[in-house]
């Protein structure tokens, strides 16, 4: 039985049932948010940490949820912001010669993969080469199949800008594949 957002919101708003509400919220959205974060961050452990931070922020700031958007839109926005903060921390810690390509190469080094896994890794390398905004829009649209209107609420961008970013992201990924894919 799938619990509805209205029930989660009701549980979260009542101090007596808030703890149960957090558990239900986590059960309902943990997987979707994890994979959203994981596509942004790539590293599984860091994605898991970011997911925990997302739920902590959601719990601490639930009083700010205005119920003018869907609950998952609000959660995705928190998750997206947390993931971007993690990426910014990583960038500050990395040496200037370490770009996303270098990170992806190290992540997959010394592992043998099936053809499907190699294609998936190659696609991730292409996505990681995108500018942050394009990467974010592409992942939400391509992987999560979110409508532009929902993405607009999550990243606080106009629908027109999102469509442009998605279009450019697709073009850059196609170019990356044409230039770098060896078979």
């Amino acid at each position: 039985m799938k619990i509805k957002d209205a029930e989660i919101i009701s549980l979260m708003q009542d101090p007596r049932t808030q703890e149960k509400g957090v558990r239900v919220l986590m059960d309902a959205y943990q997987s979707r948010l994890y994979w959203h974060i994981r596509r942004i961050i790539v590293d599984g452990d860091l994605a898991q940490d970011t997911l925990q931070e997302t739920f902590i922020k959601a719990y601490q700031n639930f009083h700010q949820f205005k119920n003018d958007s869907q609950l998952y839109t609000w959660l995705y926005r928190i998750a997206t912001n947390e993931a971007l903060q993690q990426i910014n921390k990583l960038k500050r810690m990395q040496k200037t010669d370490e770009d996303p390509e270098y990170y992806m190469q190290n992540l997959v080094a010394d592992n043998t993969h099936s053809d499907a896994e190699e294609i998936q890794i190659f696609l991730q390398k292409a996505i990681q080469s995108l500018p942050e905004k394009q990467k974010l829009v592409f992942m939400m649209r391509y992987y999560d199949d979110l409508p532009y209107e929902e993405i607009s609420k999550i990243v606080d961008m106009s629908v027109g800008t999102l469509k442009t970013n998605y279009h450019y992201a697709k073009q850059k990924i196609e170019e990356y594949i044409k230039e770098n894919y060896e078979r």
Side-chain angles (χ1 to χ4, degrees):
M1 181 175 126
K2 187 164 173 136
I3 191 159
K4 296 192 184 315
D5 284 354
E7 294 173 55
I8 294 172
I9 293 167
S10 177
L11 289 169
M12 291 291 294
Q13 289 175 335
D14 185 344
R16 296 172 301 193
T17 59
Q18 194 171 33
E19 194 173 308
K20 179 182 179 185
V22 170
R23 286 194 302 274
V24 173
L25 177 79
M26 290 173 69
D27 287 343
Y29 290 103
Q30 183 168 294
S31 181
R32 286 174 72 189
L33 290 175
Y34 171 78
W35 287 109
H36 168 67
I37 292 166
R38 178 74 189 265
R39 285 186 287 274
I40 297 170
I41 294 182
V42 180
D43 179 84
D45 291 336
L46 189 54
Q48 189 64 43
D49 291 346
T50 304
L51 177 65
Q52 290 175 4
E53 286 298 317
T54 298
F55 284 122
I56 290 169
K57 287 264 171 74
Y59 171 75
Q60 291 173 337
N61 297 299
F62 199 80
H63 63 280
Q64 294 177 349
F65 177 67
K66 303 288 186 239
N67 218 3
D68 58 355
S69 65
Q70 292 183 357
L71 184 57
Y72 85 84
T73 303
W74 185 71
L75 292 169
Y76 264 55
R77 186 169 191 153
I78 294 170
T80 300
N81 289 339
E82 287 298 310
L84 293 175
Q85 284 179 357
Q86 287 295 339
I87 286 175
N88 288 334
K89 283 182 195 174
L90 286 174
K91 283 182 181 177
R92 286 191 300 269
M93 291 176 5
Q94 287 178 335
K95 297 177 186 170
T96 55
D97 62 338
E98 292 182 6
D99 60 10
E101 177 81 16
Y102 178 84
Y103 177 72
M104 284 300 298
Q105 285 173 351
N106 284 341
L107 184 66
V108 299
D110 301 325
N111 292 327
T112 56
H113 302 283
S114 69
D115 285 345
E117 288 172 320
E118 283 183 29
I119 291 168
Q120 197 56 260
I121 290 169
F122 188 76
L123 177 59
Q124 284 302 316
K125 286 181 181 181
I127 292 169
Q128 292 302 317
S129 72
L130 295 171
E132 286 302 320
K133 284 183 184 177
Q134 290 176 9
K135 183 188 328 179
L136 195 57
V137 171
F138 181 82
M139 289 188 298
M140 288 183 183
R141 183 81 177 140
Y142 181 79
Y143 287 114
D144 298 328
D145 200 27
L146 292 176
Y148 287 113
E149 293 74 20
E150 289 298 316
I151 299 171
S152 174
K153 292 175 186 175
I154 293 167
V155 298
D156 199 26
M157 256 189 250
S158 74
V159 171
T161 302
L162 291 171
K163 288 180 178 180
T164 301
N165 274 295
Y166 185 73
H167 174 75
Y168 284 132
K170 281 188 352 186
Q171 278 184 326
K172 288 178 182 178
I173 289 171
E174 287 173 10
E175 289 171 16
Y176 184 94
I177 290 170
K178 287 176 187 173
E179 292 173 9
N180 297 291
Y181 193 66
E182 298 168 12
R183 260 298 180 205

